[in-house]
Amino acid sequence: MSCDWPGRWCHVQKFIERTGPFAHPDFEPSSESLGFLQETCKLLIIGAGGLGCELLKDLALIGFKNIDIIDMDTIDVSNLNRQFLFRPKDVGRPKADVAADFINTRIPGANVTPHYAKIQDYDESFYRGFHIVVCGLDSIVARRWINGMLVSMLQYEDGELQQESLVPMVDGGTEGFKGNARVILPGMTACVECTLDLYPPQVNFPLCTIAHTPRLPEHCIEYVRILLWPKEHPFGEDVPIDGDEPKHIQWIMDKSLERANEFNISGITYRLTQGVVKRIIPAVASTNAVIAAACSTEVFKLATSCTVPLNNYMNFNDTEGIYTYTFEAERKEDCMACSKIPKSITFSESDKLQDIITYLQESAEYQMKSPGLTTNIKGKNKTLYMPTIKSIEEKTRENLKKTLSELEFVNGQELYVADPTTPMTLTFKLSLGSNME
């Protein structure tokens, strides 16, 4: 029996069964478009948090039926104030499972498939099964990884991009009263790596400031988290901090208050303490709703061609009134992800391997997390350093102290770098010189 009723999709049919002044040049009004939207088009939503819940609800109500949603987290009590698909009884269950169950039950005809997993758990064949990927993430690393995956799936023939290999990505992000929505056409428009400098780096406080000259309440909390907890073991040896355990947060807050009083610092609260410990990004439900609506609209445009999609980055801010601004983020000719041009890095023979790794981590252009390096020396592959596998890390740790000369590097040496921020191995060409006296 059909789950549709007369007039259910009239709001969608007005856009896809007639043309208009803003229609895409390739748009052809058709009554068959609704069938494609509902039965053929497959969407993947990454993230089932505050933004992901809104995206799932919006897209299912628009008419997309075949939706997969992937999330690696379980539901916590603190999620319930804004992640509206969850209830107190759901605490502890996978977010993706609960969100899918809710939508499948609430919206007739919805066919949402959950994946309680990391995006890195799936390979290229999985991602090729979708027409559009929609991101509701709070992690830059995850954004960069899925961006790299979609770029790696592109196929070229005689230098021309094969359009059927392109999977568009619609990405949304929120922080407090600010948000953004963007449309990425891999290989055609600016990708995440092209615009990496648009993302704010994670705030880390210098240890010397935390230990000796605290000025902010956050400094006091970090002092307790980093220095006091491992020293005093308040809940037993080797018991890690649990940001969701009230006793842990209360202990950290009490000790932070003591330190704050020593330096006449005010502002320590339970909420701030938990926010610093868990690295919580401020979340406002209305911002999530606005950005999800913008992203869902772009998905609808891409799926139907009824209107020209966003070109290509929209900022939103309602801190004081409502402000929004759209601009075109431009591709970088030498983008690490989508240009396929080996990046050139310059070091001297006396620099150490650790210097290269530190540069890749601290450079605003690369912002890597834990790079592993291999190379080819005299025709043989050589693992220089691999932090992700304990046995190999121990065997290659000594290389970190060696100079590039001792490692037998030559000018033009190619380094192959693997990092959690990308599914691809990146190639760097080393420009090697001697130290000038």
Side-chain angles (χ1 to χ4, degrees):
M1 187 173 69
S2 174
C3 59
D4 292 340
W5 52 88
R8 181 179 181 187
W9 304 112
C10 63
H11 61 297
V12 174
Q13 290 168 312
K14 288 177 182 177
F15 287 97
I16 59 179
E17 293 183 5
R18 61 186 187 185
T19 190
F22 299 106
H24 192 282
D26 297 332
F27 175 63
E28 293 183 7
S30 171
S31 58
E32 296 177 2
S33 297
L34 184 62
F36 169 78
L37 200 76
Q38 295 181 334
E39 307 303 333
T40 306
C41 189
K42 288 195 68 177
L43 305 181
L44 174 65
I45 298 176
I46 302 178
L51 194 54
C53 285
E54 290 280 356
L55 286 166
L56 185 55
K57 174 259 296 179
D58 288 352
L59 292 167
L61 288 172
I62 285 174
F64 292 98
K65 292 185 177 180
N66 298 305
I67 304 174
D68 285 37
I69 186 162
I70 183 170
D71 194 294
M72 60 180 284
D73 287 337
T74 55
I75 298 163
D76 176 63
V77 173
S78 64
N79 302 148
L80 302 181
N81 70 334
R82 64 197 180 281
Q83 297 173 23
F84 61 93
L85 299 182
F86 310 142
R87 301 291 181 266
K89 65 180 175 61
D90 300 320
V91 171
R93 290 185 61 199
K95 288 183 177 180
D97 290 355
V98 176
D101 288 347
F102 191 105
I103 294 298
N104 287 336
T105 302
R106 191 69 174 266
I107 301 179
N111 178 30
V112 182
T113 303
H115 302 272
Y116 175 39
K118 299 177 181 178
I119 53 175
Q120 295 87 349
D121 292 341
Y122 293 96
D123 60 13
E124 181 179 311
S125 62
F126 173 78
Y127 293 104
R128 281 196 184 280
F130 299 97
H131 292 89
I132 303 171
V133 171
V134 197
C135 295
L137 292 160
D138 59 4
S139 164
I140 305 301
V141 173
R143 276 191 180 90
R144 295 174 68 183
W145 191 92
I146 190 62
N147 174 80
M149 172 56 75
L150 297 181
V151 168
S152 73
M153 287 161 42
L154 297 177
Q155 296 176 354
Y156 294 84
E157 189 172 310
D158 298 328
E160 291 291 320
L161 175 63
Q162 301 299 294
Q163 293 292 325
E164 62 272 13
S165 69
L166 188 156
V167 177
M169 180 167 86
V170 178
D171 178 45
T174 65
E175 182 173 344
F177 291 98
K178 301 174 184 177
N180 69 78
R182 65 184 300 187
V183 174
I184 295 172
L185 304 177
M188 296 178 64
T189 65
C191 74
V192 171
E193 293 291 340
C194 290
T195 56
L196 194 56
D197 54 348
L198 289 176
Y199 296 100
Q202 181 172 302
V203 177
N204 289 305
F205 303 109
L207 194 59
C208 56
T209 300
I210 294 169
H212 304 294
T213 54
R215 297 183 300 277
L216 300 171
E218 290 87 350
H219 293 161
C220 301
I221 297 167
E222 287 286 77
Y223 173 83
V224 177
R225 184 181 75 86
I226 295 172
L227 300 174
L228 275 195
W229 184 281
K231 181 181 178 182
E232 299 192 9
H233 307 293
F235 297 91
E237 286 280 346
D238 300 323
V239 175
I241 297 173
D242 183 349
D244 296 314
E245 172 52 62
K247 292 179 182 178
H248 290 195
I249 299 300
Q250 188 66 48
W251 186 88
I252 294 172
M253 188 185 82
D254 292 342
K255 291 294 183 180
S256 300
L257 281 168
E258 291 176 14
R259 183 157 179 83
N261 290 335
E262 289 179 33
F263 292 89
N264 296 316
I265 296 170
S266 61
I268 301 284
T269 64
Y270 185 93
R271 185 174 182 178
L272 178 66
T273 303
Q274 189 174 44
V276 171
V277 169
K278 294 182 66 177
R279 303 285 193 195
I280 292 174
I281 298 172
V284 176
S286 58
T287 311
N288 285 333
V290 169
I291 297 304
C295 290
S296 299
T297 301
E298 294 308 317
V299 173
F300 181 73
K301 292 180 189 177
L302 289 168
T304 64
S305 294
C306 67
T307 310
V308 177
L310 178 75
N311 187 26
N312 52 34
Y313 198 112
M314 184 273 284
N315 273 320
F316 171 81
N317 188 340
D318 64 345
T319 308
E320 298 176 5
I322 294 178
Y323 171 80
T324 184
Y325 175 69
T326 301
F327 66 94
E328 181 183 0
E330 297 183 357
R331 288 186 71 185
K332 284 178 67 174
E333 289 185 6
D334 61 346
C335 172
M336 185 168 64
C338 66
S339 72
K340 308 300 182 186
I341 299 173
K343 302 291 286 188
S344 180
I345 51 176
T346 303
F347 285 89
S348 69
E349 293 177 340
S350 60
D351 285 328
K352 296 179 173 61
L353 185 66
Q354 179 65 64
D355 295 325
I356 295 180
I357 290 175
T358 300
Y359 171 72
L360 293 174
Q361 290 175 320
E362 296 181 354
S363 163
E365 185 174 3
Y366 303 122
Q367 297 182 38
M368 293 188 180
K369 298 303 175 185
S370 53
L373 279 68
T374 59
T375 190
N376 190 292
I377 294 178
K378 297 178 181 177
K380 294 183 178 180
N381 289 329
K382 181 177 181 180
T383 300
L384 299 167
Y385 184 64
M386 193 64 60
T388 52
I389 302 172
K390 187 177 180 181
S391 59
I392 301 179
E393 194 280 332
E394 290 172 352
K395 289 180 180 178
T396 57
R397 192 182 301 160
E398 282 299 311
N399 287 339
L400 297 175
K401 302 174 185 176
K402 293 181 180 179
T403 65
L404 305 189
S405 176
E406 290 171 334
L407 290 168
E408 301 183 84
F409 281 17
V410 296
N411 191 44
Q413 185 92 32
E414 286 194 343
L415 297 178
Y416 311 111
V417 182
D419 190 72
T421 58
T422 173
M424 302 181 288
T425 297
L426 305 172
T427 301
F428 289 81
K429 185 163 282 190
L430 184 64
S431 178
L432 194 63
S434 302
N435 271 350
M436 301 294 291
E437 294 294 334

